[in-house]
Amino acid sequence: MCNRPSLRAYNAGVDYDASLHWLATLLDFERTGEFTQRPDLVPMHALLSVLGDPHRRRPTVHVAGSKGKGSTAVMVEAILGAGGRVTGAYVSPHLHRYTERVRVAGVPCEQAVFAAALTAAREAMEVVAPRFPDRAFVAFDALTAAGFVAFRDAGVDTQVIEVGLGGALDSTNVFQEMQTASRDQRSPQQHVVVITPISLEHTAVLGSTIAEIAAQKAGIITHGGAVVVAPQRESALDVFRAVAAERGAQLIEVARVCQMTRSSASADAQEFKLKTARGTYSATLPLAGRHQLDNAATAIVAAEALASCAGFDLTPAHVREGLAKVVWPGRLEVLKRTPLVIIDGAHNGDSAKRMVAALREYFGLARAVFLFGTLAGKDAAAMAGAVGSFADHVHLARWRHARAADPRELADAFRATDAGVSIHGDLGAAYEAAAADASARGAVVAFGSIAFVAAVREYLLGIESDMLRMAFVSPHSAESDAPGTQDQR
């Protein structure tokens, strides 16, 4: 057992900005697109061992998937918190501040707590790194370790962990050995895996088919544990069924065990009733979109499964109270009413289709003015195809992120849908033009990568982001030849 000092011993004198600047020295796929292949997670296990294995000894819900994993994770967190559990939730990416990734009792941790935990992870990395001279820790390794340290020192008794990328070789996939040991000792397993819907994403890293991507996600399935699978394509289900059978895991398919009825829906909330194998629930969910009902059903079944294996009570009142308090910005979120401004992190073709369906059904829109931005390498054509016929006009812009896709290339994708397109030199100009197009009676919908949605929130709400604190800007921002506004049909 490690004798390192606890997080509380680090709190004094730890500087948040300094911790962010150190984090910026590490390879970071999210910020820069730099990706390092890894053959295994041995260095990550060694890092956690030096820290005293802070990820262990508490019931865990581990969430992977392509769509809805963040929403599902915070719903599970809210339900468990309403049931009296002291929850920790590790989610990614953040919108504005890194502290959003490490949530304790339903809220982002304090900056001092985050900085102290990251300092502990940094010092442990300095101990472990010489053992693996040909391997490099990345930013997500440090963040994951820091999250576990913060949970341990905050007295968290139940944790919800969201996978970053893939599953099998993700930094969070550190529960396999613990579950194997638990099985060998015939002690109760307090671990539930959740897999949300799979779609094509990160194909250069995860695979070019649904089945290949599903196999990566299935890598977090533990031996003898419970696996809750959201409604899926059959090609993904086939993979999950096979891996669960191989590992002796209990597979719970939400589509088979749940019966849901939606009783009301609006842009602000939707009410539903759900019957599962273990209970009947009635709840109000303050998130729009039918896909969020699937996420809610998945979260409820996951909370049921964890309560069953960990031996604590979960009642319909806990579900109702927890879901009513869910706040998850950037997902069909209304920022302004006149004109109506909606933002949504629909970051692939499937998500964009769901967004358009929700705009029709929940907001009563027949058309909208779009503001769009995504990261380089994303399937812009699929997203453009999903919204093109719904768009009055599409506004594109330069925005501050090293991986931001060139708006001139995005314009080609939208032009193929016959949508009107304008390119602007900066995000502020693009928003103001979109708002003028929409006028007081129309709607502006800003969508794309979460990082882009965050940039729009920052512009409209005056939020300072950690990206600026890290002095991290896109190479495009310094270009003197950034294009002015151009109308392209």
Side-chain angles (χ1 to χ4, degrees):
M1 188 67 163
C2 169
N3 292 319
R4 296 181 61 80
S6 72
L7 172 61
R8 296 179 184 85
Y10 286 102
N11 279 340
V14 175
D15 183 82
Y16 182 69
D17 286 344
S19 69
L20 295 185
H21 291 151
W22 171 74
L23 191 65
T25 67
L26 302 177
L27 291 174
D28 192 336
F29 178 74
E30 287 180 34
R31 291 188 295 108
T32 67
E34 298 171 291
F35 182 77
T36 301
Q37 292 283 357
R38 56 174 70 179
D40 54 50
L41 291 167
V42 173
M44 189 66 196
H45 282 284
L47 173 62
L48 292 174
S49 178
V50 168
L51 288 166
D53 287 325
H55 59 303
R56 299 191 177 194
R57 291 174 291 280
R58 68 181 71 90
T60 300
V61 177
H62 195 189
V63 186
S66 302
K67 299 175 297 185
K69 57 180 179 170
S71 299
T72 303
V74 297
M75 289 182 201
V76 174
E77 171 199 37
I79 292 168
L80 296 176
R85 310 299 295 179
V86 180
T87 59
Y90 177 65
V91 296
S92 62
H94 61 281
L95 278 171
H96 312 297
R97 297 283 172 84
Y98 276 94
T99 52
E100 298 166 20
R101 296 173 180 243
V102 181
R103 297 161 58 97
V104 175
V107 297
C109 68
E110 296 179 358
Q111 289 186 3
V113 170
F114 178 89
L118 198 60
T119 297
R122 177 182 182 176
E123 294 190 0
M125 285 169 58
E126 291 171 352
V127 171
V128 174
R131 304 180 198 170
F132 305 94
D134 298 325
R135 305 280 291 274
F137 285 112
V138 298
F140 197 72
D141 295 330
L143 290 166
T144 302
F148 288 132
V149 168
F151 294 162
R152 178 189 63 197
D153 286 73
V156 162
D157 61 28
T158 309
Q159 62 190 6
V160 183
I161 308 298
E162 180 187 355
V163 166
L165 176 65
L169 295 175
D170 187 74
S171 307
T172 66
N173 192 24
V174 290
F175 301 101
Q176 300 287 352
E177 292 180 2
M178 179 174 64
Q179 291 299 303
T180 301
S182 178
R183 177 189 59 183
D184 293 343
Q185 296 167 10
R186 300 184 182 276
S187 59
Q189 297 193 21
Q190 301 182 359
H191 190 89
V192 174
V193 163
V194 176
I195 305 181
T196 66
I198 305 301
S199 62
L200 294 177
E201 55 157 346
H202 302 299
T203 52
V205 177
L206 301 180
S208 58
T209 68
I210 293 294
E212 289 174 342
I213 294 172
Q216 290 293 321
K217 310 293 185 181
I220 72 168
I221 295 175
T222 55
H223 293 272
V227 186
V228 176
V229 179
Q232 300 277 350
R233 292 173 168 143
E234 199 66 24
S235 56
L237 278 174
D238 287 342
V239 173
F240 301 141
R241 290 166 180 159
V243 174
E246 175 191 337
R247 299 184 182 178
Q250 177 194 10
L251 187 70
I252 307 171
E253 296 182 29
V254 171
R256 291 190 175 188
V257 302
C258 291
Q259 294 178 335
M260 176 175 281
T261 303
R262 187 185 68 176
S263 53
S264 69
S266 70
D268 298 315
Q270 48 191 329
E271 296 180 357
F272 68 91
K273 293 182 179 179
L274 181 73
K275 183 177 182 180
T276 73
R278 289 190 170 103
T280 301
Y281 307 92
S282 178
T284 299
L285 181 66
L287 297 174
R290 283 187 179 267
H291 58 286
Q292 294 291 11
L293 295 179
D294 286 343
N295 293 336
T298 303
I300 291 169
V301 174
E304 287 180 333
L306 191 70
S308 176
C309 68
F312 59 82
D313 291 332
L314 182 72
T315 70
H318 298 152
V319 171
R320 184 169 58 253
E321 179 185 344
L323 291 183
K325 295 179 179 178
V326 169
V327 177
W328 197 225
R331 283 75 176 177
L332 289 170
E333 178 187 12
V334 175
L335 292 188
K336 293 183 66 176
R337 298 286 179 177
T338 307
L340 179 64
V341 178
I342 303 164
I343 62 173
D344 190 59
H347 61 280
N348 58 33
D350 285 346
S351 296
K353 289 177 183 177
R354 290 185 173 193
M355 176 189 71
V356 170
L359 293 174
R360 295 182 191 275
E361 184 176 3
Y362 288 77
F363 293 86
L365 298 176
R367 306 276 291 179
V369 176
F370 284 95
L371 183 61
F372 177 70
T374 191
L375 303 180
K378 299 294 183 180
D379 191 350
M383 290 181 273
V387 307
S389 63
F390 195 81
D392 277 332
H393 201 84
V394 179
H395 293 270
L396 308 168
R398 302 285 190 188
W399 55 288
R400 295 180 66 156
H401 197 287
R403 295 176 60 198
D406 190 325
R408 291 167 290 196
E409 296 178 3
L410 299 180
D412 292 336
F414 283 96
R415 230 180 355 253
T417 71
D418 294 326
V421 181
S422 295
I423 302 177
H424 306 266
D426 62 69
L427 179 59
Y431 169 76
E432 298 303 335
D437 273 355
S439 72
R441 291 178 294 177
V444 175
V445 178
F447 84 103
S449 296
I450 287 291
F452 177 74
V453 167
V456 175
R457 283 186 105 248
E458 288 156 12
Y459 175 76
L460 287 177
L461 304 181
I463 297 171
E464 181 189 44
S465 74
D466 277 347
M467 186 172 71
L468 295 181
R469 295 170 77 128
M470 296 166 78
F472 185 83
V473 298
S474 165
H476 297 311
S477 65
E479 290 183 4
S480 60
D481 61 342
T485 301
Q486 307 169 34
D487 284 332
Q488 303 181 35
R489 302 283 175 176

